[in-house]
Amino acid sequence: MRTVIQSGGKVESVGLELSEAVAGNVVDPDEHLWRSLTGSRRDLPEITHQRAQEICFTLAQQNPLGHRMTELIRDYVVGDGISWEAQNPFVGELVEEFWEDGINDLEQRNQDWPLELGMYGELIPEAFTGPISGITRLGYIDPSQVKKVDHLAGNPLVRNTVWIREKGAGHKGKPLQIIRDRGNGFLEGDVFFFSVNSPSNATRGWPDLLHIADWLDAFDQMLWEVAERSRLARTFIWDVELEGNDTNIDAWLRKHGTPPRSGTIRAHNKGEKWEAVAPTLGSFEASAEAQTLMKHISASSGWPSHWLSGAEDVNRATAREMGQPTVRRLSRRQKYWLRCLTTMLRYVLEQAEVSGRLLTENGRVPVFAEGKATGELKKPIQLVQLQAPGIEPRDDFRAAQMFVQTANAMAMAEKHGWFEESAKRQILALVLSKMGFDYQPTDEPMKPEKTEPEREPAALSAV
C-alpha cells in the first residue's frame, strides 16, 4: 500500500510506502546499515526521517482519520486553553508581555504547537532576545529543515546542537545551540528543542502517526473503493433480447439505440424482451473488512474505537474503562507540554533578569535561589504556575455518591475509633477534590458554632 493524496475522488501516489522508507530503501539498498558517527544507532537515516515526517503531515492534512487523531491530542491537551498565574506582580507583567506579544501570541501557539509536536514528533521554536532590552520573541523552524541533532559527549540524553539546512551553510548545515542549562544555572542557546515518541537513546522525535501510517492509508483507499462500488451499484443498463440474426440486431440498435427517457411510452411485440440489469456487488464483505481494519488501527494507535465513531456494542461503563489508558497517555502529553512552556517562561525571565528589567522598588526579584554552599549551583524559583484543563470530564453524580458513602463510613469509623480526626479530614478532602472542591484540612479542632438561646414565644394578646 502507498500513501496517497485524494483530490476530487482521484487517487494519486506520492511516493514510497512508509514501511519501505523506514527500512531505508530510499537512496541505497543498504542505507539503513549506515549511520553518522555523531548520531545514535536508534535514529532513522536523515532522508528517511524527513520522508516519514512528510508522510505523516500528509496524513494529518488530507486523511480524515489521521486528521482526527492528530486533532484529538491537541483538543484534550489544551482544551479551552492554558492559563498562568504569578504571585509577584512584576513577574506577572513580564510574563503577560511575553504571552500577549503579537508575534509570540501564546494563546494561539498553545493551540497550534501541541498539534505540530505530535504531527512532526518535534517542535523547534527559535528564541530572539534583545541584548539591551531583554525582550524575547519566538520564531519557528520547520522540522523538515533539520539535518541532524548532536548530543553532548556521547550522552544522547543531552541534546546540544541542531544542524539546519540553509543556503551557503555547506553540506553540514548551520549549527544552532539548543537552549539548556550549560552548568552555570542559566538557560543558554539559540533554539528550544522538544520531541516525543522516540526512545531515550535517539536524538530526534518521531510523529504520532508513524507506526500506523500505512494502515491509515489502506483504510482510506478501502473507503474510496467502497464509494466507487456504491456508485457502480446505482448504475444499470437496458438488456434487450431480440429474435432474429445479428443483422436485425444492428438495425434495431440504429433505430432504438438511445435509452428511453423517464416517463416515456415504450411499446414492443413478443419479439422483444426488455430488462434493466444492475451489477451485483457484495457490500457485506467490504463492511466486515473495514471494521476489522478500523479495530486494528484503534488498537495500534491506543484510541478506543468509540472515540473514532466506532460505537458498536459499547455501553457507558465499558466506554469508561476502555478510555482509561488513553486518558493516562493524554495526561502524560499534557504534563510534557506544560514542561515545555515552563522552560520557555524560565528562559524569558532569566533574560529579563540579566538585562535588569526584573526590578522592584526594593531591588531585584530573584529568579534563582542562591546556593547554600560555596560553588553550589543556583536553583530556579517557581515564579509562574500554569493551569491546564482536566483531561477526563468530572462525573459529579458518581462523586456525590462516593461522598455520601464515605461520610457514612467516616461516621462508623468515628463510632469505633478507627481513625484520628486528621485522617478523617484528609479522606474527606480527597473525596471533595473529586467534586472540584478545594478543601485544605487542618489539625485544629473544630469549634462548635455559637447559637442564640431559644426564646420563649411571646404571649398573644387577645383581641
Side-chain angles (χ1 to χ4, degrees), residues 158-334:
V158 184
R159 298 183 175 101
N160 189 56
T161 309
V162 178
W163 295 82
I164 305 297
R165 296 184 184 86
E166 190 175 273
K167 292 183 178 179
H171 69 281
K172 290 185 177 181
K174 176 184 177 181
L176 295 175
Q177 298 299 312
I178 295 176
I179 295 176
R180 63 178 182 84
D181 186 349
R182 300 182 179 273
N184 56 1
F186 288 88
L187 296 179
E188 298 177 348
D190 305 309
V191 297
F192 299 97
F193 186 85
F194 308 121
S195 63
V196 293
N197 298 325
S198 59
S200 300
N201 57 344
T203 60
R204 302 196 60 183
W206 297 349
D208 287 336
L209 302 180
L210 177 65
H211 60 294
I212 57 172
D214 287 335
W215 297 106
L216 288 173
D217 176 51
F219 185 74
D220 206 39
Q221 290 189 49
M222 177 182 292
L223 293 184
W224 272 106
E225 292 169 358
V226 170
E228 289 291 321
R229 179 184 299 175
S230 299
R231 183 181 64 83
L232 292 174
R234 291 192 299 270
T235 62
F236 68 94
I237 62 172
W238 286 104
D239 181 77
V240 182
E241 184 178 350
L242 302 174
E243 294 182 358
N245 54 29
D246 293 343
T247 304
N248 294 338
I249 295 176
D250 295 337
W252 188 93
L253 285 175
R254 285 193 296 270
K255 185 178 180 180
H256 304 284
T258 304
R261 297 176 59 187
S262 176
T264 58
I265 299 175
R266 175 172 56 86
H268 62 89
N269 55 26
K270 293 182 179 181
E272 295 182 15
K273 181 181 178 182
W274 289 62
E275 183 180 3
V277 179
T280 303
L281 303 174
S283 59
F284 176 77
E285 295 81 0
S287 176
E289 292 172 359
Q291 186 176 0
T292 300
L293 189 53
M294 183 63 157
K295 289 182 178 179
H296 177 70
I297 292 175
S298 173
S300 303
S301 62
W303 295 107
S305 58
H306 62 279
W307 287 32
L308 303 175
S309 300
E312 63 281 351
D313 299 330
V314 178
N315 54 37
R316 181 165 183 164
T318 304
R320 184 183 297 111
E321 296 301 325
M322 291 175 61
Q324 288 302 315
T326 307
V327 169
R328 298 293 182 268
R329 171 192 174 194
L330 293 171
S331 298
R332 291 196 303 270
R333 180 62 61 86
Q334 185 183 72

Side-chain angles (χ1 to χ4, degrees), residues 53-54 57 120 122 124 140-146 164-165 204:
Q53 287 181 335
E54 292 299 327
F57 171 77
Y120 296 116
E122 298 171 338
I124 314 173
Y140 182 82
I141 296 178
D142 194 315
S144 64
Q145 296 180 255
V146 177
I164 305 297
R165 296 184 184 86
R204 302 196 60 183

Side-chain angles (χ1 to χ4, degrees), residues 355-419:
S355 63
R357 296 188 67 215
L358 197 57
L359 299 175
T360 67
E361 297 177 357
N362 300 325
R364 289 192 172 188
V365 176
V367 178
F368 295 94
E370 296 290 345
K372 296 181 180 179
T374 304
E376 184 178 352
L377 295 178
K378 298 179 179 180
K379 298 180 180 180
I381 301 175
Q382 186 177 2
L383 298 177
V384 183
Q385 293 182 346
L386 298 172
Q387 292 90 26
I391 296 294
E392 190 174 11
R394 190 172 68 245
D395 192 339
D396 294 333
F397 179 75
R398 293 187 64 189
Q401 284 184 323
M402 184 186 301
F403 179 77
V404 172
Q405 295 172 359
T406 305
N408 293 334
M410 290 298 100
M412 183 181 297
E414 183 177 3
K415 179 179 179 181
H416 295 281
W418 292 344
F419 298 112

